[in-house]
Amino acid sequence: RERERPTLLLFFETAGEATSMLLLDEIFRGGCVDAQHQHIVVQLMALCPEDVSKVRFGKLTPFCIQFLRDIKTFFGLTMKIVADPDTKTTLLSGIGSGYVNMSRRMQ
């Protein structure tokens, strides 16, 4: 058991270092949402009430760009995309579709 302990500690140290580097990379990119969850915020913006929504992202991921195309295809919604060269971020704004869950029970 004593021999396994240094290897296990080395694994945790390596995992912690890799995690901290990923966190610093996301902070460097800027924005309010990390790259892995951009599409979820876009989905919420598309399904929200018919009101203007704005969010600031870092660099848009290819998956998020394709998801924006899918939102345009399925919902007919377009988002305004403005790049901010000073902060190297992207501002996304758009009007929601006003989706209402009709199967939800009224109280």
Side-chain angles (χ1 to χ4, degrees), residues 21-38 56-62 84 86-90:
M21 293 304 287
L22 288 171
L23 176 63
L24 289 174
D25 187 43
E26 288 295 332
I27 291 170
F28 177 74
R29 289 182 190 169
C32 298
V33 180
D34 68 325
Q36 300 298 319
H37 298 97
Q38 289 177 351
R56 185 172 301 275
F57 290 130
K59 183 179 177 186
L60 291 176
T61 61
D84 186 1
D86 295 334
T87 60
K88 296 181 181 176
T89 58
T90 307

Side-chain angles (χ1 to χ4, degrees), residues 81-100:
I81 302 172
V82 178
D84 186 1
D86 295 334
T87 60
K88 296 181 181 176
T89 58
T90 307
L91 182 67
L92 217 75
S93 60
I95 297 175
S97 64
Y99 177 79
V100 176

Side-chain angles (χ1 to χ4, degrees), residues 39-55:
H39 66 283
I40 296 172
V41 175
V42 171
Q43 180 181 17
L44 292 173
M45 288 173 64
L47 295 175
C48 76
E50 296 177 4
D51 197 10
V52 177
S53 299
K54 292 182 183 180
V55 69

